Amino acid sequence: RAVGQLMASLPDRCEVVVVGGGVIGVSVAYHLAEAGIQDVVLLERKELTSGTTWHAAGLVGQLRTSINMTQLARYTSQLYRGLEEETGQSIGWHKCGQLRIAESADRMDEYLNYASIAQTQGVRAEILNPEQTVDLWPLMQRSLNLLGAVYNPDDGHIAPADVTQALAKGAKQLGANIYLHTEVSSIDMLPS
């Protein structure tokens, strides 16, 4: 059941209903429409990004602790880079790289593992010694515990609200319908 200003214009039936207009919900609607599903409806109780998306950090890294998660992160990074061109909507992409600092042997081992995953996945990752780490980030004070770092030069950050708007625009261009100010008050399961 949806309650909102646009109740009269809501369809009686649709193939897929996505509840929530944050970056995840809008991304789901975008990808379903991109996959060819013609009957996608997204319902948002307020405005897009009015939930947790508005205060998300927007960090976009390509390297994770597993191959599957790294593939997903790489896909996301590639999607974001092409989204602005596809929709004409800026996403605030800024490539600045990411530096992960190791001050324990366990953390350095973790980063060596990251680097091996990166190599198999085609993600650029450089293991740095303490001197190289400080050279890359001169404002960092060298601690006695600094063992090194892993540097991912292709990482960056985006503006989460802008990405959400771009995904929404792309979803609409692909045929999805988005209804704002439409709160979902309950979900009733019908027999199949």
Side-chain angles (χ1 to χ4, degrees):
R1 296 185 215 284
V3 179
Q5 298 172 354
L6 303 173
M7 278 300 295
S9 63
L10 283 174
D12 290 337
R13 301 184 67 80
C14 61
E15 189 172 354
V16 178
V17 175
V18 178
V19 179
V23 71
I24 293 173
V26 175
S27 180
V28 168
Y30 171 86
H31 284 90
L32 289 170
E34 184 183 47
I37 298 174
Q38 298 296 311
D39 200 9
V40 177
V41 169
L42 182 140
L43 306 175
E44 167 52 46
R45 66 186 171 91
K46 292 183 181 177
E47 296 288 334
L48 296 179
T49 76
S50 63
T52 58
T53 297
W54 72 268
H55 62 79
L59 302 176
V60 180
Q62 298 180 69
L63 189 57
R64 298 293 187 269
T65 56
S66 74
I67 290 173
N68 288 339
M69 293 304 293
T70 297
Q71 288 174 344
L72 181 60
R74 283 191 71 203
Y75 166 76
T76 300
S77 181
Q78 292 165 356
L79 169 69
Y80 288 171
R81 289 181 189 148
L83 195 58
E84 188 169 333
E85 183 178 325
E86 177 186 337
T87 64
Q89 170 76 42
S90 173
I91 64 161
W93 168 252
H94 179 71
K95 179 179 156 181
C96 57
Q98 180 179 177
L99 184 64
R100 300 175 196 209
I101 308 298
E103 292 187 309
S104 72
D106 286 345
R107 184 67 72 195
M108 198 65 208
D109 285 346
E110 179 184 341
Y111 293 161
L112 291 169
N113 182 49
Y114 278 4
S116 68
I117 291 171
Q119 184 177 15
T120 64
Q121 295 298 301
V123 174
R124 293 195 312 155
E126 303 167 23
I127 295 293
L128 306 178
N129 64 35
E131 292 75 26
Q132 293 168 316
T133 303
V134 174
D135 285 346
L136 184 63
W137 187 23
L139 295 177
M140 184 177 86
Q141 292 184 12
R142 169 118 187 244
S143 74
L144 296 175
N145 298 332
L146 178 62
L147 299 178
V150 64
Y151 175 56
N152 302 104
D154 298 321
D155 289 355
H157 59 87
I158 48 89
D162 293 347
V163 168
T164 304
Q165 295 299 331
L167 286 166
K169 187 173 183 180
K172 289 177 188 177
Q173 288 171 342
L174 294 166
N177 292 297
I178 297 175
Y179 296 91
L180 305 178
H181 304 285
T182 306
E183 183 174 349
V184 175
S185 61
S186 66
I187 297 174
D188 298 330
M189 300 294 289
L190 300 175
S192 52

